[in-house]
Amino acid sequence: MSTPFPFTAVVGQDDLRLALLLNAVSPAVGGVLVRGEKGTAKSTAVRALSALMPEVDVVPGCRFSCDPHSPDPGCPDGPHEPGAGVARPARMVELPVGASEDRLVGALDIERALAEGVKAFEPGLLADAHRGILYVDEVNLLHDHLVDLLLDAAAMGASYVEREGVSVRHASRFLLVGTMNPEEGELRPQLLDRFGLTVEVSASREPDQRVEVVRRRLAHDDDPAGFAARWADEEAAVRARIAAARELLPSVRLGDGALRQIAATCAAFEVDGMRADIVMARTATALAAWAGRTDVLAEDVRQAALLALPHRRRRNPFDAPGLDEDKLDETLEEFGGQDGDGGGDDDPDPGPDGPGGPGGQPEPDDAPPGDGDAAARPEAGEGGEPRPSGAGEQSPVRAAEPFRTKVLSVPGLGEGAAGRRSRARTEHGRTTGARRPRGALTKLHLAATVQAAAPHQRARGRSGRGLVVRRDDLRQATREGREGNLVLFVVDASGSMAARQRMGAVKGAVLSLLLDAYQRRDKVGLVTFRGAVADVALPPTSSVDAAAARLESLPTGGRTPLAAGLLRAHEVLRVERLRDPARRALVVVVTDGRATGGPEPVALAGRAARLFAAEGVASVVVDCESGPVRLGLAGRLADELGGTAVTLDELRADAIAGLVRDVQGTRRAA
């Protein structure tokens, strides 16, 4: 077994360490979401925390880690009589991105349930994590329904498995930690709100601090056991302080003054609902206990707000989480000190020395945040900003106000990742039929199973009322829902599009479609062409925010290499099919249809477009041509692509409904 990197040896990252420690003191805080770039000690700090958690007493042989002093009366392995237990370290369970619903919540043996009436239950990761840590790396890449199940269990402290009238419930209370890189896509605001605290992390840009990160990481890799031994005293001190804070927590008093500050702060920042108030109250209480105090002070409320409110301020997909600290201080000052507590005017008790420092904030470190894996961001290459096109380039134009659009769907029935755009066979949705299961049975089609077993009852010697069911009789329900697609934008940024008002409208239209892609759980990509080249401004990603940022900074000017743009888009699709063959693509070409530069540019663009038509790729051309005289070049391009054309005006709201029918009708006719 490998020796983990010590928690106290993580350099810097004060907010990250504090948020994790507060949840270790009070799991009721609701978990931590850690957002940040790659290589910033996110995973290292979480894994290191498990070594600091106090040991837990469990009932011997119980698969659900019941507390022997207060066993769960509904435990599937119970009932348990109160008594002595066995001590073991608190577990840290990792949920992989590709986990199934059965792996997360557990699975029933449907065959035994139907044939024998026995609740044969195989526990999932939620049972393994009970009274420990559940760690979800890249939580933003999990399917939404898994995130919903995960957060529901964390909120209720129990997991429920319901299958065809058979129900199993077990306790599931854990410290939930999720990490994510915002460049790979955001969580929905509704899911962000379910995490108690959030922390933004980034690597230091100071050379001296980065040197210390590398020095500690190399020392650990060379001699993990020896490195851990050098930090053993610090680890023991933090472990003891967590235990002491847990004991003190029930004695901490949250006065009316502090409560008033919490309520006023949440109201001032216009957060939705009451979850923020409750999380702030629990966090402020944990901060006081961590500092060794029994009263909550204004500084605890302020720190709680900085951890609990930023991600709840996100109003739309392109808003970055954040908090105005000046406004926070004004609110706390206005509503502080009205009943003698919570005002923060008195000199606070700094609490015990050691990791965490005065007032609950971890002591600053002269070295940088990170775990040694931090590195400077790579220079923008093919996936970075578009290369300059030379003479005639104009500065970027701001996008016009985005507007609501309706769905552009890919025709047919797919089998891609769950989403909200095109029809697909999915694990969740309406039942459309039944088939023999391939591998483990996940969704039983009860009627089809009974129908398959009925003709064989006499041959199987049935004598009672029960139905004799065998594995060959089981039928898997086939379901139809919606999938997410790859929406690849191919944007003309040449001189013919460079009129500022016109380009602003074009960017506004693309921004609107990006917003629609976010809401429908699509991946997006951005190819631009101008001058003599086409660039992949953004490779296919789940981060619609990144696409919006690249679009905003897109300059214009030069000739119109339409063929180069289409060929580059075709290559992007070819590579993406190898990575994710089940995800279908929708190509949105934003252009006036002109093609200039090089020999026979129009003919070459036509040949490039016919590659998409030959492969059956769904496509839409957004016609940006303006003026009294229109050449209709975008319409011709759409015909070559085997798709349809729509003007910027037709792209709005209700006009899209007709466009969807046109896209689907064109593909069927082809």
Side-chain angles (χ1 to χ4, degrees), residues 468-527:
V468 181
V469 179
R470 295 181 179 170
R471 177 159 294 277
D472 289 344
D473 302 325
L474 299 179
R475 295 294 182 267
Q476 175 86 22
T478 57
R479 301 191 175 192
E480 183 177 311
R482 294 279 171 177
E483 67 177 358
N485 298 117
L486 166 60
V487 181
L488 182 61
F489 294 92
V490 186
V491 180
D492 184 349
S494 65
S496 66
M497 302 277 288
R500 299 190 72 81
Q501 184 175 359
R502 182 181 177 194
M503 196 61 195
V506 168
K507 286 188 175 182
V510 177
L511 197 63
S512 303
L513 291 170
L514 282 171
L515 180 60
D516 182 68
Y518 169 84
Q519 294 167 340
R520 301 188 186 282
R521 313 291 178 261
D522 294 316
K523 292 180 71 174
V524 296
L526 179 62
V527 173

Short mmCIF file of all heavy atoms in Angstrom, two decimals, residues 468-527:
data_model
loop_
_atom_site.label_atom_id
_atom_site.label_comp_id
_atom_site.label_asym_id
_atom_site.label_seq_id
_atom_site.Cartn_x
_atom_site.Cartn_y
_atom_site.Cartn_z
N VAL A 468 -41.84 -19.61 -11.19
CA VAL A 468 -40.48 -20.13 -11.28
C VAL A 468 -39.76 -19.36 -12.38
O VAL A 468 -40.07 -19.49 -13.57
CB VAL A 468 -40.47 -21.64 -11.59
CG1 VAL A 468 -39.03 -22.15 -11.65
CG2 VAL A 468 -41.26 -22.40 -10.54
N VAL A 469 -38.81 -18.50 -11.98
CA VAL A 469 -38.09 -17.63 -12.91
C VAL A 469 -36.64 -18.04 -12.97
O VAL A 469 -36.00 -18.28 -11.93
CB VAL A 469 -38.20 -16.15 -12.49
CG1 VAL A 469 -37.45 -15.25 -13.45
CG2 VAL A 469 -39.66 -15.72 -12.40
N ARG A 470 -36.13 -18.15 -14.19
CA ARG A 470 -34.71 -18.44 -14.38
C ARG A 470 -34.05 -17.28 -15.12
O ARG A 470 -34.73 -16.43 -15.69
CB ARG A 470 -34.54 -19.75 -15.15
CG ARG A 470 -35.05 -20.95 -14.35
CD ARG A 470 -34.86 -22.25 -15.08
NE ARG A 470 -35.34 -23.37 -14.27
CZ ARG A 470 -35.47 -24.60 -14.71
NH1 ARG A 470 -35.16 -24.89 -15.98
NH2 ARG A 470 -35.91 -25.55 -13.91
N ARG A 471 -32.73 -17.29 -15.12
CA ARG A 471 -32.01 -16.16 -15.68
C ARG A 471 -32.35 -15.92 -17.15
O ARG A 471 -32.44 -14.77 -17.59
CB ARG A 471 -30.49 -16.37 -15.52
CG ARG A 471 -29.64 -15.28 -16.15
CD ARG A 471 -28.26 -15.24 -15.57
NE ARG A 471 -28.29 -14.85 -14.16
CZ ARG A 471 -28.35 -13.58 -13.75
NH1 ARG A 471 -28.43 -12.61 -14.62
NH2 ARG A 471 -28.34 -13.31 -12.47
N ASP A 472 -32.59 -16.97 -17.90
CA ASP A 472 -32.91 -16.80 -19.32
C ASP A 472 -34.23 -16.08 -19.53
O ASP A 472 -34.50 -15.57 -20.63
CB ASP A 472 -32.96 -18.16 -20.03
CG ASP A 472 -31.58 -18.77 -20.19
OD1 ASP A 472 -30.59 -18.01 -20.04
OD2 ASP A 472 -31.48 -19.98 -20.46
N ASP A 473 -35.08 -16.03 -18.49
CA ASP A 473 -36.37 -15.36 -18.62
C ASP A 473 -36.26 -13.85 -18.43
O ASP A 473 -37.17 -13.10 -18.84
CB ASP A 473 -37.36 -15.89 -17.58
CG ASP A 473 -37.57 -17.40 -17.69
OD1 ASP A 473 -37.53 -17.90 -18.83
OD2 ASP A 473 -37.76 -18.05 -16.65
N LEU A 474 -35.21 -13.38 -17.78
CA LEU A 474 -35.11 -11.96 -17.45
C LEU A 474 -35.02 -11.11 -18.71
O LEU A 474 -34.32 -11.45 -19.67
CB LEU A 474 -33.89 -11.71 -16.57
CG LEU A 474 -33.87 -12.43 -15.21
CD1 LEU A 474 -32.60 -12.11 -14.46
CD2 LEU A 474 -35.10 -12.08 -14.39
N ARG A 475 -35.71 -9.99 -18.68
CA ARG A 475 -35.71 -9.07 -19.80
C ARG A 475 -35.33 -7.67 -19.33
O ARG A 475 -35.84 -7.18 -18.32
CB ARG A 475 -37.09 -9.03 -20.49
CG ARG A 475 -37.48 -10.35 -21.15
CD ARG A 475 -36.56 -10.68 -22.33
NE ARG A 475 -36.97 -11.91 -23.00
CZ ARG A 475 -36.49 -13.11 -22.72
NH1 ARG A 475 -35.60 -13.25 -21.72
NH2 ARG A 475 -36.90 -14.18 -23.39
N GLN A 476 -34.44 -7.06 -20.06
CA GLN A 476 -33.99 -5.70 -19.79
C GLN A 476 -34.93 -4.72 -20.47
O GLN A 476 -35.27 -4.88 -21.64
CB GLN A 476 -32.56 -5.50 -20.33
CG GLN A 476 -32.03 -4.10 -20.22
CD GLN A 476 -31.39 -3.83 -18.88
OE1 GLN A 476 -30.99 -4.76 -18.20
NE2 GLN A 476 -31.31 -2.57 -18.50
N ALA A 477 -35.38 -3.69 -19.74
CA ALA A 477 -36.22 -2.66 -20.35
C ALA A 477 -35.37 -1.76 -21.24
O ALA A 477 -34.27 -1.35 -20.86
CB ALA A 477 -36.89 -1.82 -19.26
N THR A 478 -35.84 -1.51 -22.44
CA THR A 478 -35.19 -0.53 -23.32
C THR A 478 -35.92 0.80 -23.16
O THR A 478 -37.16 0.84 -23.16
CB THR A 478 -35.22 -0.98 -24.79
OG1 THR A 478 -36.58 -1.20 -25.19
CG2 THR A 478 -34.44 -2.27 -24.96
N ARG A 479 -35.15 1.85 -23.02
CA ARG A 479 -35.74 3.15 -22.72
C ARG A 479 -35.25 4.20 -23.71
O ARG A 479 -34.15 4.09 -24.25
CB ARG A 479 -35.40 3.58 -21.30
CG ARG A 479 -35.89 2.58 -20.26
CD ARG A 479 -35.79 3.12 -18.88
NE ARG A 479 -36.37 2.18 -17.92
CZ ARG A 479 -36.64 2.48 -16.66
NH1 ARG A 479 -36.40 3.69 -16.21
NH2 ARG A 479 -37.17 1.59 -15.85
N GLU A 480 -36.09 5.18 -23.93
CA GLU A 480 -35.74 6.26 -24.85
C GLU A 480 -35.79 7.59 -24.11
O GLU A 480 -36.76 7.90 -23.42
CB GLU A 480 -36.70 6.30 -26.04
CG GLU A 480 -36.34 7.37 -27.05
CD GLU A 480 -37.26 7.36 -28.26
OE1 GLU A 480 -37.48 6.27 -28.82
OE2 GLU A 480 -37.75 8.44 -28.64
N GLY A 481 -34.71 8.33 -24.23
CA GLY A 481 -34.63 9.65 -23.62
C GLY A 481 -33.95 10.62 -24.58
O GLY A 481 -34.18 10.58 -25.79
N ARG A 482 -33.09 11.44 -24.04
CA ARG A 482 -32.37 12.43 -24.84
C ARG A 482 -30.88 12.30 -24.60
O ARG A 482 -30.44 11.94 -23.50
CB ARG A 482 -32.82 13.85 -24.47
CG ARG A 482 -34.27 14.14 -24.84
CD ARG A 482 -34.41 14.48 -26.30
NE ARG A 482 -35.80 14.56 -26.72
CZ ARG A 482 -36.18 14.90 -27.93
NH1 ARG A 482 -35.27 15.18 -28.85
NH2 ARG A 482 -37.45 14.93 -28.26
N GLU A 483 -30.11 12.60 -25.62
CA GLU A 483 -28.65 12.55 -25.52
C GLU A 483 -28.07 13.95 -25.72
O GLU A 483 -28.72 14.84 -26.28
CB GLU A 483 -28.08 11.61 -26.58
CG GLU A 483 -28.27 12.13 -28.00
CD GLU A 483 -27.64 11.24 -29.07
OE1 GLU A 483 -27.01 10.24 -28.70
OE2 GLU A 483 -27.78 11.56 -30.26
N GLY A 484 -26.85 14.13 -25.26
CA GLY A 484 -26.09 15.32 -25.58
C GLY A 484 -25.28 15.07 -26.84
O GLY A 484 -24.84 13.95 -27.10
N ASN A 485 -25.10 16.10 -27.64
CA ASN A 485 -24.35 15.97 -28.89
C ASN A 485 -23.08 16.80 -28.85
O ASN A 485 -22.83 17.53 -27.89
CB ASN A 485 -25.22 16.42 -30.08
CG ASN A 485 -26.46 15.57 -30.26
OD1 ASN A 485 -27.58 16.04 -30.14
ND2 ASN A 485 -26.27 14.28 -30.51
N LEU A 486 -22.27 16.66 -29.86
CA LEU A 486 -21.14 17.55 -30.07
C LEU A 486 -21.60 18.63 -31.04
O LEU A 486 -21.89 18.35 -32.21
CB LEU A 486 -19.94 16.79 -30.66
CG LEU A 486 -18.82 17.68 -31.24
CD1 LEU A 486 -18.24 18.59 -30.16
CD2 LEU A 486 -17.73 16.82 -31.86
N VAL A 487 -21.71 19.85 -30.56
CA VAL A 487 -22.08 20.98 -31.41
C VAL A 487 -20.78 21.69 -31.81
O VAL A 487 -20.13 22.31 -30.96
CB VAL A 487 -23.04 21.94 -30.70
CG1 VAL A 487 -23.43 23.08 -31.62
CG2 VAL A 487 -24.28 21.20 -30.23
N LEU A 488 -20.41 21.54 -33.07
CA LEU A 488 -19.15 22.11 -33.56
C LEU A 488 -19.47 23.38 -34.36
O LEU A 488 -20.10 23.33 -35.41
CB LEU A 488 -18.41 21.10 -34.44
CG LEU A 488 -17.06 21.55 -34.99
CD1 LEU A 488 -16.10 21.86 -33.85
CD2 LEU A 488 -16.46 20.49 -35.90
N PHE A 489 -19.02 24.50 -33.84
CA PHE A 489 -19.23 25.78 -34.51
C PHE A 489 -18.06 26.05 -35.46
O PHE A 489 -16.89 25.96 -35.07
CB PHE A 489 -19.33 26.91 -33.49
CG PHE A 489 -20.55 26.82 -32.62
CD1 PHE A 489 -20.50 26.17 -31.40
CD2 PHE A 489 -21.75 27.38 -33.02
CE1 PHE A 489 -21.62 26.08 -30.59
CE2 PHE A 489 -22.88 27.29 -32.22
CZ PHE A 489 -22.81 26.64 -31.00
N VAL A 490 -18.38 26.39 -36.69
CA VAL A 490 -17.39 26.75 -37.69
C VAL A 490 -17.68 28.20 -38.07
O VAL A 490 -18.66 28.48 -38.79
CB VAL A 490 -17.46 25.83 -38.93
CG1 VAL A 490 -16.32 26.14 -39.89
CG2 VAL A 490 -17.40 24.37 -38.50
N VAL A 491 -16.88 29.14 -37.58
CA VAL A 491 -17.21 30.56 -37.63
C VAL A 491 -16.28 31.29 -38.61
O VAL A 491 -15.05 31.21 -38.49
CB VAL A 491 -17.12 31.19 -36.23
CG1 VAL A 491 -17.46 32.68 -36.28
CG2 VAL A 491 -18.06 30.48 -35.27
N ASP A 492 -16.89 32.00 -39.54
CA ASP A 492 -16.18 32.83 -40.51
C ASP A 492 -15.78 34.13 -39.84
O ASP A 492 -16.63 34.91 -39.41
CB ASP A 492 -17.12 33.10 -41.70
CG ASP A 492 -16.45 33.88 -42.82
OD1 ASP A 492 -15.34 34.39 -42.61
OD2 ASP A 492 -17.06 33.99 -43.90
N ALA A 493 -14.48 34.37 -39.69
CA ALA A 493 -13.97 35.59 -39.07
C ALA A 493 -13.19 36.43 -40.07
O ALA A 493 -12.31 37.19 -39.70
CB ALA A 493 -13.08 35.24 -37.87
N SER A 494 -13.52 36.31 -41.35
CA SER A 494 -12.78 37.01 -42.40
C SER A 494 -13.24 38.45 -42.53
O SER A 494 -14.16 38.90 -41.84
CB SER A 494 -12.99 36.29 -43.73
OG SER A 494 -14.35 36.36 -44.13
N GLY A 495 -12.60 39.17 -43.46
CA GLY A 495 -12.92 40.57 -43.67
C GLY A 495 -14.34 40.80 -44.12
O GLY A 495 -14.94 41.85 -43.81
N SER A 496 -14.93 39.85 -44.83
CA SER A 496 -16.30 40.04 -45.31
C SER A 496 -17.31 40.04 -44.17
O SER A 496 -18.46 40.43 -44.35
CB SER A 496 -16.67 38.94 -46.32
OG SER A 496 -16.72 37.68 -45.69
N MET A 497 -16.88 39.58 -42.98
CA MET A 497 -17.76 39.54 -41.81
C MET A 497 -17.41 40.66 -40.82
O MET A 497 -17.96 40.70 -39.72
CB MET A 497 -17.61 38.20 -41.09
CG MET A 497 -17.92 37.00 -41.93
SD MET A 497 -19.66 36.66 -41.99
CE MET A 497 -19.90 36.04 -40.34
N ALA A 498 -16.49 41.55 -41.20
CA ALA A 498 -15.84 42.40 -40.21
C ALA A 498 -16.59 43.66 -39.84
O ALA A 498 -16.14 44.39 -38.97
CB ALA A 498 -14.44 42.78 -40.69
N ALA A 499 -17.72 43.98 -40.48
CA ALA A 499 -18.50 45.13 -40.06
C ALA A 499 -18.86 44.96 -38.59
O ALA A 499 -19.40 43.94 -38.20
CB ALA A 499 -19.75 45.27 -40.91
N ARG A 500 -18.57 45.96 -37.74
CA ARG A 500 -18.65 45.78 -36.29
C ARG A 500 -20.06 45.42 -35.83
O ARG A 500 -20.25 44.52 -35.02
CB ARG A 500 -18.14 47.04 -35.58
CG ARG A 500 -16.69 47.36 -35.92
CD ARG A 500 -16.15 48.46 -35.03
NE ARG A 500 -15.93 48.02 -33.67
CZ ARG A 500 -14.87 47.33 -33.27
NH1 ARG A 500 -13.93 46.98 -34.13
NH2 ARG A 500 -14.73 46.99 -32.01
N GLN A 501 -21.06 46.11 -36.35
CA GLN A 501 -22.42 45.80 -35.94
C GLN A 501 -22.81 44.39 -36.37
O GLN A 501 -23.46 43.65 -35.64
CB GLN A 501 -23.38 46.82 -36.53
CG GLN A 501 -24.83 46.63 -36.07
CD GLN A 501 -25.74 47.73 -36.59
OE1 GLN A 501 -25.29 48.65 -37.27
NE2 GLN A 501 -27.02 47.65 -36.25
N ARG A 502 -22.36 44.01 -37.56
CA ARG A 502 -22.70 42.69 -38.09
C ARG A 502 -22.01 41.59 -37.30
O ARG A 502 -22.62 40.58 -36.93
CB ARG A 502 -22.28 42.65 -39.56
CG ARG A 502 -22.61 41.36 -40.28
CD ARG A 502 -22.12 41.50 -41.69
NE ARG A 502 -22.31 40.29 -42.46
CZ ARG A 502 -21.72 40.08 -43.63
NH1 ARG A 502 -20.94 40.99 -44.14
NH2 ARG A 502 -21.94 38.97 -44.28
N MET A 503 -20.71 41.79 -37.01
CA MET A 503 -19.99 40.76 -36.27
C MET A 503 -20.50 40.65 -34.84
O MET A 503 -20.55 39.56 -34.26
CB MET A 503 -18.49 41.06 -36.26
CG MET A 503 -17.63 39.87 -35.86
SD MET A 503 -17.84 38.47 -36.99
CE MET A 503 -17.13 37.15 -36.03
N GLY A 504 -20.94 41.79 -34.26
CA GLY A 504 -21.53 41.73 -32.94
C GLY A 504 -22.80 40.89 -32.92
O GLY A 504 -23.04 40.11 -32.01
N ALA A 505 -23.61 41.03 -33.98
CA ALA A 505 -24.83 40.22 -34.08
C ALA A 505 -24.50 38.75 -34.27
O ALA A 505 -25.16 37.87 -33.71
CB ALA A 505 -25.69 40.73 -35.24
N VAL A 506 -23.45 38.46 -35.07
CA VAL A 506 -23.04 37.08 -35.29
C VAL A 506 -22.57 36.45 -33.98
O VAL A 506 -22.96 35.33 -33.63
CB VAL A 506 -21.92 37.02 -36.34
CG1 VAL A 506 -21.28 35.63 -36.38
CG2 VAL A 506 -22.46 37.39 -37.72
N LYS A 507 -21.74 37.18 -33.23
CA LYS A 507 -21.27 36.64 -31.96
C LYS A 507 -22.43 36.45 -30.98
O LYS A 507 -22.45 35.48 -30.21
CB LYS A 507 -20.22 37.57 -31.36
CG LYS A 507 -18.86 37.51 -32.04
CD LYS A 507 -17.83 38.31 -31.27
CE LYS A 507 -16.45 38.17 -31.87
NZ LYS A 507 -15.42 38.91 -31.08
N GLY A 508 -23.39 37.36 -31.00
CA GLY A 508 -24.55 37.21 -30.14
C GLY A 508 -25.34 35.95 -30.47
O GLY A 508 -25.84 35.24 -29.58
N ALA A 509 -25.47 35.66 -31.78
CA ALA A 509 -26.18 34.45 -32.20
C ALA A 509 -25.44 33.19 -31.75
O ALA A 509 -26.05 32.24 -31.24
CB ALA A 509 -26.35 34.45 -33.71
N VAL A 510 -24.11 33.17 -31.92
CA VAL A 510 -23.33 32.00 -31.50
C VAL A 510 -23.37 31.86 -29.98
O VAL A 510 -23.48 30.75 -29.44
CB VAL A 510 -21.88 32.11 -32.00
CG1 VAL A 510 -21.05 30.93 -31.50
CG2 VAL A 510 -21.83 32.18 -33.52
N LEU A 511 -23.32 32.99 -29.27
CA LEU A 511 -23.41 32.95 -27.81
C LEU A 511 -24.76 32.37 -27.37
O LEU A 511 -24.84 31.60 -26.40
CB LEU A 511 -23.23 34.36 -27.25
CG LEU A 511 -22.90 34.48 -25.76
CD1 LEU A 511 -21.56 33.83 -25.45
CD2 LEU A 511 -22.90 35.93 -25.33
N SER A 512 -25.81 32.71 -28.08
CA SER A 512 -27.14 32.17 -27.77
C SER A 512 -27.16 30.66 -27.96
O SER A 512 -27.74 29.92 -27.16
CB SER A 512 -28.19 32.83 -28.66
OG SER A 512 -28.19 34.23 -28.50
N LEU A 513 -26.54 30.19 -29.05
CA LEU A 513 -26.50 28.75 -29.29
C LEU A 513 -25.60 28.05 -28.27
O LEU A 513 -25.85 26.90 -27.89
CB LEU A 513 -25.99 28.48 -30.71
CG LEU A 513 -26.97 28.90 -31.82
CD1 LEU A 513 -26.29 28.83 -33.18
CD2 LEU A 513 -28.21 28.02 -31.80
N LEU A 514 -24.57 28.73 -27.80
CA LEU A 514 -23.72 28.16 -26.75
C LEU A 514 -24.52 28.01 -25.45
O LEU A 514 -24.38 27.01 -24.73
CB LEU A 514 -22.50 29.05 -26.51
CG LEU A 514 -21.36 28.94 -27.51
CD1 LEU A 514 -20.32 30.03 -27.26
CD2 LEU A 514 -20.71 27.58 -27.44
N LEU A 515 -25.33 29.01 -25.13
CA LEU A 515 -26.17 28.92 -23.95
C LEU A 515 -27.13 27.74 -24.06
O LEU A 515 -27.35 26.99 -23.11
CB LEU A 515 -26.95 30.22 -23.77
CG LEU A 515 -27.89 30.31 -22.57
CD1 LEU A 515 -27.13 30.14 -21.26
CD2 LEU A 515 -28.64 31.63 -22.58
N ASP A 516 -27.69 27.55 -25.24
CA ASP A 516 -28.57 26.41 -25.48
C ASP A 516 -27.80 25.10 -25.31
O ASP A 516 -28.31 24.13 -24.74
CB ASP A 516 -29.16 26.51 -26.88
CG ASP A 516 -30.12 25.38 -27.20
OD1 ASP A 516 -31.20 25.34 -26.59
OD2 ASP A 516 -29.78 24.54 -28.05
N ALA A 517 -26.56 25.06 -25.80
CA ALA A 517 -25.73 23.85 -25.67
C ALA A 517 -25.43 23.54 -24.21
O ALA A 517 -25.39 22.38 -23.80
CB ALA A 517 -24.43 24.01 -26.47
N TYR A 518 -25.21 24.57 -23.41
CA TYR A 518 -24.97 24.37 -21.98
C TYR A 518 -26.19 23.72 -21.33
O TYR A 518 -26.08 22.76 -20.55
CB TYR A 518 -24.67 25.71 -21.32
CG TYR A 518 -24.68 25.67 -19.80
CD1 TYR A 518 -23.54 25.28 -19.09
CD2 TYR A 518 -25.81 26.03 -19.09
CE1 TYR A 518 -23.55 25.24 -17.71
CE2 TYR A 518 -25.82 25.99 -17.70
CZ TYR A 518 -24.69 25.60 -17.02
OH TYR A 518 -24.70 25.55 -15.65
N GLN A 519 -27.37 24.25 -21.63
CA GLN A 519 -28.58 23.76 -21.01
C GLN A 519 -28.90 22.33 -21.45
O GLN A 519 -29.56 21.59 -20.73
CB GLN A 519 -29.75 24.70 -21.35
CG GLN A 519 -29.59 26.07 -20.74
CD GLN A 519 -30.56 27.09 -21.30
OE1 GLN A 519 -31.10 26.91 -22.39
NE2 GLN A 519 -30.77 28.17 -20.58
N ARG A 520 -28.43 21.93 -22.63
CA ARG A 520 -28.75 20.60 -23.15
C ARG A 520 -27.61 19.61 -22.96
O ARG A 520 -27.61 18.53 -23.54
CB ARG A 520 -29.16 20.72 -24.62
CG ARG A 520 -30.35 21.63 -24.79
CD ARG A 520 -30.93 21.65 -26.17
NE ARG A 520 -31.97 22.66 -26.26
CZ ARG A 520 -33.20 22.53 -25.80
NH1 ARG A 520 -33.55 21.41 -25.20
NH2 ARG A 520 -34.08 23.51 -25.90
N ARG A 521 -26.59 19.97 -22.17
CA ARG A 521 -25.50 19.06 -21.79
C ARG A 521 -24.68 18.59 -22.99
O ARG A 521 -24.32 17.43 -23.10
CB ARG A 521 -26.03 17.83 -21.04
CG ARG A 521 -27.01 18.16 -19.93
CD ARG A 521 -26.34 18.87 -18.78
NE ARG A 521 -27.34 19.19 -17.79
CZ ARG A 521 -27.93 20.38 -17.67
NH1 ARG A 521 -27.60 21.36 -18.49
NH2 ARG A 521 -28.82 20.61 -16.73
N ASP A 522 -24.42 19.50 -23.93
CA ASP A 522 -23.63 19.16 -25.10
C ASP A 522 -22.15 19.41 -24.86
O ASP A 522 -21.77 20.20 -23.99
CB ASP A 522 -24.06 20.00 -26.31
CG ASP A 522 -25.46 19.71 -26.77
OD1 ASP A 522 -25.82 18.53 -26.86
OD2 ASP A 522 -26.21 20.67 -27.06
N LYS A 523 -21.33 18.77 -25.66
CA LYS A 523 -19.95 19.20 -25.81
C LYS A 523 -19.93 20.22 -26.95
O LYS A 523 -20.77 20.16 -27.86
CB LYS A 523 -19.03 18.03 -26.16
CG LYS A 523 -18.86 17.04 -25.03
CD LYS A 523 -17.93 15.91 -25.42
CE LYS A 523 -16.48 16.36 -25.54
NZ LYS A 523 -15.56 15.21 -25.77
N VAL A 524 -19.02 21.15 -26.90
CA VAL A 524 -18.92 22.15 -27.95
C VAL A 524 -17.48 22.26 -28.43
O VAL A 524 -16.53 21.96 -27.69
CB VAL A 524 -19.41 23.54 -27.47
CG1 VAL A 524 -20.89 23.49 -27.12
CG2 VAL A 524 -18.60 24.02 -26.27
N GLY A 525 -17.32 22.69 -29.66
CA GLY A 525 -16.01 22.97 -30.23
C GLY A 525 -16.12 24.21 -31.10
O GLY A 525 -17.22 24.58 -31.54
N LEU A 526 -15.00 24.86 -31.36
CA LEU A 526 -15.02 26.10 -32.13
C LEU A 526 -13.86 26.11 -33.12
O LEU A 526 -12.69 26.02 -32.73
CB LEU A 526 -14.91 27.31 -31.19
CG LEU A 526 -14.89 28.70 -31.82
CD1 LEU A 526 -16.19 28.95 -32.59
CD2 LEU A 526 -14.69 29.77 -30.75
N VAL A 527 -14.21 26.17 -34.41
CA VAL A 527 -13.23 26.31 -35.49
C VAL A 527 -13.46 27.67 -36.13
O VAL A 527 -14.61 28.03 -36.42
CB VAL A 527 -13.40 25.19 -36.54
CG1 VAL A 527 -12.48 25.44 -37.74
CG2 VAL A 527 -13.09 23.83 -35.92
#
